[in-house]
């Protein structure tokens, strides 16, 4: 009992301030994460990713970073998406032919798999304050161990 | 040699005690309650212009138990490094009507339930809250940036230290010397410092 409380007290600050490991569920970030899962939600295996929290000191991000954020519609859920645009960028939404300007303190996030992703195309730009960390590495399964690439697909490049 | 080992062990022990203390401090600060210095004009007359130390607890917003009337600390949607103190006026599904206090003569915000609302009102979307300062004339709040996601709430204020302390006076002096003519009003914002000291 004493042991577990002590581990808890050590682990919580580390995961809040420095880094933590999270599972990624669903196919919205395929093929970056969970490449083998199908779009019906049934995943064969969850990827575990390393999330670093140092970026939260200054909230400095650049397009292409993969971030974990609280869903703007439900604060208990966390989503993993890729940042496409930062404040001041103009984003073309794919469904309609509108161009949206990202407001101050917000960012535009999208999943890598456009067919099954709940992202800024449905709920608009999200405040940067919702971001909980940046995904840097895949740690599990071991054959896919490695850094996450910070590149945006060609057709989603934004102009600032 | 044995003496050195002893010294090293002792040092390690001390370091671990300090580290454990800091960890405990972090856990209480982040998950139970924490002191914050709130200053600025936007929460007048509830909170002082020149700075009030308030205690906020972090339990109820995690459980989703914040409601209209609660004073909450919210990470500003326009600047994530800033934390602002406002009062919750509406929850998801509420219809909010508001008037510009500088031009209109009716200076109040009306919140009605989701059933009886009129035209030209804003409905607070799912998972969002409507926050507003008590001083409607000098507050940058949901009337300007719209409803904010519940996930931006950082705590619920439940206690304000009633008496002045020396630290508080010092901060007041600094603030007065820096913004003697109430430049804080120009800023239209209430800023919070996470470290009251």
């Amino acid at each position: 009992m004493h042991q577990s409380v002590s581990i808890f007290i050590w682990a919580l600050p580390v995961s809040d301030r420095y880094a933590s490991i999270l599972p990624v569920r669903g196919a919205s970030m395929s093929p970056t994460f969970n490449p083998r899962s199908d779009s019906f939600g049934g995943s064969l295996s969850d990827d575990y990713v390393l999330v670093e929290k140092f970026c939260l000191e200054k909230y400095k991000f650049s397009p292409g970073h993969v971030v974990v954020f609280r869903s703007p519609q439900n604060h208990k859920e966390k989503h993993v998406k890729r940042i496409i645009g930062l404040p001041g960028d103009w984003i073309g939404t794919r469904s309609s032919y509108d161009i949206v300007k990202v407001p101050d303190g917000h960012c535009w996030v999208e999943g890598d798999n456009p067919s099954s992703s709940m992202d800024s195309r449905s709920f608009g730009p999200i405040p940067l304050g919702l971001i909980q960390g940046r995904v840097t590495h895949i740690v599990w399964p071991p054959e896919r161990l490695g850094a996450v690439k910070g590149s945006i697909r060609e057709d989603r490049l934004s102009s600032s | 040699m044995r003496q050195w080992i002893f010294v090293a062990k002792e040092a390690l022990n001390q370091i671990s005690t300090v580290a454990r203390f800091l960890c405990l401090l972090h856990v209480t600060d982040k998950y139970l309650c924490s002191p914050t210095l709130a200053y600025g004009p936007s929460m007048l007359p509830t909170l002082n212009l020149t700075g009030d130390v308030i205690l906020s607890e972090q339990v109820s917003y995690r459980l989703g138990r914040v409601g209209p009337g609660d004073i909450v600390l919210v990470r500003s949607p326009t600047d994530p490094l800033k934390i602002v103190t406002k009062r919750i006026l509406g929850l998801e599904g509420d219809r909010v009507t508001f008037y510009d206090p500088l031009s209109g003569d009716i200076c109040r915000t009306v919140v009605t339930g989701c059933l009886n609302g009129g035209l030209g009102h804003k409905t607070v979307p799912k998972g969002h809250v409507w926050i507003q300062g008590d001083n409607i004339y000098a507050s940058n709040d949901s009337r300007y940036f719209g409803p904010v996601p519940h996930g931006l709430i950082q705590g619920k204020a439940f206690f304000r230290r009633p008496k002045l302390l020396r630290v508080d006076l010092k901060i007041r002096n600094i603030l007065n010397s820096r913004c003697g003519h109430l430049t804080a009003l120009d800023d239209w914002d209430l800023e919070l410092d996470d470290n009251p000291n």
Side-chain angles (χ1 to χ4, degrees):
Chain A
M1 178 62 196
H2 180 79
Q3 194 76 18
S4 64
V5 168
S6 155
I7 289 172
F8 186 70
I9 283 178
W10 280 104
L12 220 52
V14 170
S15 75
D16 279 346
R17 278 169 181 256
Y18 308 120
S20 63
I21 289 174
L22 283 180
V24 180
R25 300 214 168 78
S28 77
M29 281 299 280
S30 166
T32 313
F33 307 126
N34 297 345
R36 284 185 298 162
S37 59
D38 51 45
S39 56
F40 301 105
S43 60
L44 299 169
S45 66
D46 285 345
D47 279 3
Y48 284 76
V49 292
L50 182 74
V51 182
E52 62 108 352
K53 313 271 172 138
F54 290 105
C55 54
L56 299 182
E57 309 219 327
K58 294 263 176 259
Y59 283 95
K60 281 240 176 285
F61 298 97
S62 54
H65 280 174
V66 179
V67 291
V68 181
F69 61 94
R70 282 183 199 283
S71 162
Q73 293 170 335
N74 182 357
H75 67 280
K76 287 173 185 154
E77 275 175 19
K78 284 183 184 171
H79 293 187
V80 178
K81 297 280 180 284
R82 195 180 287 280
I83 294 183
I84 303 289
L86 289 167
D89 289 355
W90 291 90
I91 305 291
T93 52
R94 233 175 297 176
S95 49
S96 57
Y97 292 96
D98 290 349
I99 295 180
V100 186
K101 191 178 190 195
V102 180
D104 272 353
H106 286 64
C107 64
W108 190 272
V109 289
E110 278 184 21
D112 284 358
N113 183 3
S115 59
S116 71
S117 174
M118 179 88 166
D119 50 33
S120 282
R121 278 165 296 162
S122 49
F123 47 67
I126 61 158
L128 286 171
L130 288 175
I131 293 179
Q132 304 287 306
R134 183 165 76 88
V135 177
T136 54
H137 292 82
I138 300 175
V139 292
W140 193 263
E143 68 266 20
R144 306 191 46 242
L145 185 83
V148 175
K149 284 195 201 80
S151 56
I152 306 177
R153 295 207 333 275
E154 299 266 313
D155 58 321
R156 295 307 297 157
L157 279 180
S158 64
S159 57
S160 46
Chain B
M1 185 63 194
R2 182 170 282 183
Q3 200 183 351
W4 282 113
I5 291 174
F6 178 76
V7 168
K9 252 184 194 165
E10 192 69 10
L12 213 65
N13 261 341
Q14 297 285 335
I15 289 168
S16 125
T17 312
V18 171
R20 199 173 297 174
F21 174 73
L22 288 178
C23 286
L24 198 65
L25 206 66
H26 172 91
V27 172
T28 24
D29 194 68
K30 183 117 198 227
Y31 295 93
L32 286 175
C33 79
S34 61
T36 331
L37 173 72
Y39 58 92
S42 82
M43 280 302 278
L44 284 170
T46 317
L47 299 176
N48 268 322
L49 180 71
T50 44
D52 263 325
V53 176
I54 50 174
L55 283 183
S56 61
E57 47 105 357
Q58 274 79 33
V59 180
S60 45
Y61 82 86
R62 282 175 204 277
L63 300 173
R65 294 199 180 174
V66 284
D70 289 342
I71 295 179
V72 286
L73 310 185
V74 178
R75 204 169 274 284
S76 164
T78 48
D79 180 0
L81 295 175
K82 247 189 214 169
I83 291 182
V84 296
T85 312
K86 304 282 172 205
R87 197 184 287 279
I88 293 185
L89 286 191
L91 298 176
E92 61 180 33
D94 287 349
R95 273 166 187 274
V96 181
T97 318
F98 61 95
Y99 308 90
D100 186 0
L102 298 177
S103 61
D105 46 353
I106 316 164
C107 310
R108 63 205 161 91
T109 302
V110 183
V111 181
T112 51
C114 44
L115 288 174
N116 44 353
L119 286 167
H121 301 188
K122 273 192 184 171
T123 305
V124 182
K126 186 174 178 293
H128 286 58
V129 290
W130 187 273
I131 53 167
Q132 220 171 290
D134 283 358
N135 183 3
I136 53 168
Y137 299 101
S139 169
N140 189 4
D141 48 34
S142 281
R143 288 169 300 168
Y144 300 93
F145 48 67
V148 296
H150 192 289
L152 287 179
I153 298 178
Q154 305 289 309
K156 174 181 151 190
F158 69 100
F159 180 77
R160 182 186 57 170
R161 219 221 18 255
K163 278 181 197 153
L164 292 178
L165 284 181
R166 275 245 294 289
V167 183
D168 200 17
L169 274 177
K170 220 187 271 170
I171 293 162
R172 266 161 209 258
N173 284 339
I174 293 168
L175 275 174
N176 282 344
S177 63
R178 214 186 272 164
C179 42
H181 66 290
L182 301 183
T183 31
L185 277 171
D186 304 338
D187 201 31
W188 270 37
D189 216 344
L190 173 91
E191 296 176 19
L192 276 169
D193 196 342
D194 276 332
N195 295 319
N197 304 318

